[in-house]
Amino acid sequence: MKPIQMTRRPLVAALAALSLLASASTALAQAPAKLKVGLMLPYTGTFASLGTAIENGFRLYVAENGGKLGGREIEFFKVDDESDPSKATDNVNKLIKRDNVDVLIGTVHSGVAMAMAKVAKDSGTLLIVPNAGADAVTGPMCAVNIFRSSFSNWQPGYAMGEVMAKKGLKKVVTITWKYAAGDESVKGFKEAFEKGGGKVVKELSLPFPNVEFQSLLTDIAATKPDAVYTFFAGGGAVKFVKDYAAAGLKKNIPLYGSGFLTDGTLEAQGADADGLLTALHYADSLGTPRDNAFRLSYAKAYKLQPDVYAVQGYDAGQMLGIGLSAVKGDVSKKAEFAAALHKAKIDSPRGPFTISKSNNPVQDFYLRQVTGKENKVIGIASKGLSDPGRGCRL
Ligand code: PHB
């Protein structure tokens, strides 16, 4: 048999190929693994449009940063939580156990968020809540790995209670869905309103997500309060505002609310929302360079105007980016991740905000009035308002 003769040329080529392979595999070994982000949001039901806006906002921030946060490429996993607390634990476990996510982003509904927070606390998975205001999440259930980019239910309620007391209103009826968000919004409102000299004379409610308001509206008409304070959101808020006007109440008994009543809903509410006063940590007419840039970028990407939910999703992205940069992409460094957020001033389209010791935004609440298709700022309802974080030990 003839020995295999290698000429010089193929040998050089083979060596070159080998070294190419070697450098490619080092590059592979050095590229950090993708960061798996689990989005648990409602994509169906009364809060469906809220879930989509949050996802849009979050993805916009990631896209503006070249698809990476803290040096790691982002890979998305999604679950529709249907705003159903009874399915919440199973849904969050799909993301943690099946998909092995590194980070959870969710959700809108307070009852679902509390179930997520329990699993996040027990498993140590990083959780950023981009809407749900459940006071407990940054109260008794608080943890070093649980953050919120939105608000606590107490906050907008308290802000509106201060405003309505200052207006000299005395007798108020409240109306909301009977679940954590409604109960806590009314509680925050009542705390400030009664401290300011008013009285909540009746607390009306119906189960989430029901929208048969008729008998409750009849009750309001009979009670004749000076005003009504309400928490509704999404599809339910659209129907409530329309029914309130159709019942002939709007001109006689002024309707006030937390700003969810009129955010992301104005197209559908039309003239029935005109003039309504609400308190929220965002508005359509801030006119700051930061908000203008965000609104332009969002409108270009989605052919839609952003709302408060889009901002909260975007800021969940910013918070994740700040924390991840501080730990160089290593989510297991929880104390360092949290320390970076406690030091940060988050450059939000809503205006800059900080993170409290219990991991909730400390932020301004605007007094807004519906004018046409916009929630226009007409003043500050409460400046630098911090949730008291009752029951949080960190
Ligand atoms: C909540 O359940 O915490 C919740 C839902 C929708 C909102 C605000 C709060 O717009």
Side-chain angles (χ1 to χ4, degrees):
M1 218 172 55
K2 254 185 163 184
I4 298 170
Q5 286 283 328
M6 250 192 171
T7 62
R8 220 176 129 68
R9 235 176 249 272
L11 186 63
V12 170
L15 281 174
L18 257 179
S19 93
L20 251 180
L21 253 179
S23 64
S25 69
T26 344
L28 265 183
Q30 279 168 355
K34 288 184 181 171
L35 186 87
K36 296 183 172 187
V37 171
L39 300 175
M40 180 156 151
L41 292 166
Y43 296 104
T44 51
T46 198
F47 291 156
S49 63
L50 288 60
T52 302
I54 289 168
E55 177 173 353
N56 287 348
F58 189 90
R59 283 185 185 270
L60 181 63
Y61 185 73
V62 173
E64 285 177 0
N65 288 276
K68 285 187 182 176
L69 297 179
R72 290 179 70 177
E73 212 175 304
I74 303 294
E75 183 177 12
F76 288 101
F77 295 82
K78 280 169 67 162
V79 164
D80 175 7
D81 67 39
E82 304 168 49
S83 295
D84 185 346
S86 75
K87 298 180 184 166
T89 303
D90 282 349
N91 279 332
V92 70
N93 278 325
K94 278 183 202 158
L95 291 169
I96 292 182
K97 297 193 174 141
R98 182 193 65 193
D99 301 331
N100 264 309
V101 300
D102 300 297
V103 183
L104 289 165
I105 304 291
T107 186
V108 169
H109 182 286
S110 274
V112 178
M114 284 191 279
M116 290 183 80
K118 170 141 192 7
V119 176
K121 190 167 182 162
D122 292 348
S123 64
T125 313
L126 177 61
L127 166 64
I128 303 179
V129 179
N131 182 70
D135 291 345
V137 167
T138 53
M141 303 179 80
C142 73
V144 65
N145 57 314
I146 301 177
F147 300 88
R148 191 144 49 191
S149 65
S150 52
F151 59 91
S152 73
N153 290 322
W154 179 92
Q155 281 178 307
Y158 191 88
M160 204 54 187
E162 287 187 315
V163 169
M164 289 173 70
K166 278 190 204 130
K167 278 185 182 294
L169 297 162
K170 292 293 174 223
K171 256 177 62 178
V172 162
V173 170
T174 63
I175 178 166
T176 189
W177 280 312
K178 183 89 208 124
Y179 81 113
D183 292 346
E184 292 168 0
S185 179
V186 165
K187 221 168 145 204
F189 166 76
K190 193 170 168 179
E191 186 181 327
F193 185 59
E194 297 199 336
K195 206 192 283 173
K199 179 91 195 123
V200 172
V201 294
K202 196 173 261 187
E203 296 183 27
L204 300 172
S205 64
L206 74 172
F208 176 87
N210 291 6
V211 290
E212 286 78 43
F213 301 119
Q214 221 43 58
S215 65
L216 299 173
L217 294 173
T218 307
D219 197 336
I220 291 171
T223 308
K224 297 190 178 60
D226 297 338
V228 167
Y229 171 80
T230 189
F231 165 84
F232 288 110
V238 171
K239 173 116 185 334
F240 183 74
V241 164
K242 294 193 85 61
D243 287 4
Y244 196 85
L249 290 174
K250 192 180 168 201
K251 50 188 183 306
N252 301 319
I253 307 173
L255 177 63
Y256 297 84
S258 58
F260 310 110
L261 187 68
T262 58
D263 227 80
T265 56
L266 292 177
E267 284 299 331
Q269 287 164 333
D272 290 338
D274 234 356
L276 292 184
L277 289 173
T278 63
L280 204 63
H281 47 293
Y282 190 58
D284 296 315
S285 60
L286 295 177
T288 57
R290 180 69 180 98
D291 189 45
N292 290 347
F294 165 75
R295 291 182 79 90
L296 193 64
S297 168
Y298 191 92
K300 267 196 194 152
Y302 304 110
K303 316 282 174 268
L304 272 175
Q305 285 304 312
D307 54 21
V308 70
Y309 309 105
V311 171
Q312 293 168 170
Y314 186 83
D315 290 341
Q318 296 212 66
M319 287 170 63
L320 181 57
I322 290 168
L324 280 177
S325 297
V327 298
K328 303 199 170 41
D330 180 355
V331 278
S332 69
K333 295 187 170 155
K334 288 178 206 154
E336 290 97 316
F337 187 102
L341 280 171
H342 291 151
K343 274 198 306 236
K345 191 181 232 187
I346 290 130
D347 186 21
S348 171
R350 75 186 83 171
F353 70 89
T354 57
I355 300 292
S356 72
K357 271 197 291 197
S358 55
N359 296 342
N360 191 63
V362 179
Q363 56 195 338
D364 295 344
F365 282 79
Y366 304 101
L367 180 61
R368 307 122 37 97
Q369 182 157 41
V370 176
T371 312
K373 292 288 183 293
E374 287 204 336
N375 286 291
K376 282 230 179 327
V377 182
I378 60 165
I380 299 285
S382 192
K383 184 121 194 89
L385 186 62
S386 183
D387 179 273
R390 292 171 186 135
C392 171
R393 305 263 165 276
L394 271 182

